[in-house]
């Protein structure tokens, strides 16, 4: 009798036993176990269906954390954001400067130090404005260019909808691992159109994205893990009331 190990099917156990046999001093070939055994099964699907399932899984839960870099409008941004349907919170770095973004509903806040606000300033007025804005959650007016520019970094649906699409002909590129989780990798145009690692454990969530054209790499985690999101305290908030400084 061949004992059946917990969590493994009889078929997989028998296959392993057969592969251990040696005939005429030569091990039998073609006896590797199924790499999708014990997974959610998406690794067996065509590449386009894997991408579709990953996008659906991402849209099926309300929260996610993403961190990494994206390039847009000729500038590289390093993100560490937690997102949910009602908004998002986290940090953004670009060109040596770091600031925090917070969105609750349609209200967007930006928090940074005086050096950030004063960058590019050319007078005492700029310096005074920078000191006033420093270390406060500054409410960004909806008519300010910064509102349109940064609100997308806090919008789960907009951000993921634009990111989780590979370009060109899709194909699979084997099984991999991200953060200790088994994944199947999908590529567009053999990697030139981006790559996406999709979880083989539990729901087929996207776990890592390499964007086409070397436009950044992002990892995704904490799918479905809730986090607190509320407006900043009144004494920690400043409503600038007009267009923010050009910096």
């Amino acid at each position: 009798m061949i004992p059946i190990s917990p969590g493994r099917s009889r078929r997989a156990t028998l296959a392993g036993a057969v592969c251990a046999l040696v005939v005429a001093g030569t091990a039998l070939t073609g006896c590797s176990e199924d790499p999708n055994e014990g997974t959610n099964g998406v690794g067996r699907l065509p590449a386009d269906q894997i991408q579709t399932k990953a996008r659906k899984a991402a849209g099926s839960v309300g929260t996610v954390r993403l961190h990494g870099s994206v390039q847009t409008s000729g500038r590289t941004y390093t993100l560490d954001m937690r997102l949910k349907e009602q908004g998002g919170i986290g940090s953004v770095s670009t060109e040596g400067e770091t600031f925090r973004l917070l969105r609750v509903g349609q209200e967007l806040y930006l928090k940074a130090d005086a050096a950030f606000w004063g960058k590019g300033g050319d007078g005492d007025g700029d310096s005074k404005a920078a000191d006033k804005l420093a270390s406060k959650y500054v409410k960004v007016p909806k008519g300010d260019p910064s509102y349109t520019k940064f609100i997308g970094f806090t919008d789960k649906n907009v951000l993921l909808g634009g990111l989780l699409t590979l370009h060109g002909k899709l194909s699979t590129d084997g099984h991999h691992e991200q953060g200790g989780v088994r994944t199947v990798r999908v590529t567009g145009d053999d990697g030139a159109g981006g790559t996406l690692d999709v979880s083989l454990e539990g729901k087929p969530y996207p776990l890592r994205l390499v964007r086409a054209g070397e436009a950044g790499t992002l990892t995704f985690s904490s799918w479905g893990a809730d986090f607190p999101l509320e407006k900043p305290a009144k004494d920690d908030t400043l409503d600038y009331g007009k267009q923010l400084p050009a910096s």
Side-chain angles (χ1 to χ4, degrees), residues 11-81:
R11 180 180 176 183
T13 303
L14 291 174
V18 171
C19 286
L21 296 176
V22 176
V23 178
T26 303
L28 296 177
T29 60
C31 290
S32 60
E33 292 188 27
D34 182 357
N36 293 297
E37 188 73 32
T39 71
N40 56 25
V42 296
R44 298 187 176 98
L45 300 176
D48 59 336
Q49 293 185 30
I50 297 174
Q51 179 180 244
T52 297
K53 283 189 172 292
R55 290 173 64 92
K56 287 183 177 179
S60 71
V61 295
T63 60
V64 65
R65 179 185 178 186
L66 64 84
H67 62 278
S69 63
V70 295
Q71 294 182 20
T72 180
S73 302
R75 181 175 290 191
T76 298
Y77 295 90
T78 300
L79 311 178
D80 188 352
M81 300 294 301

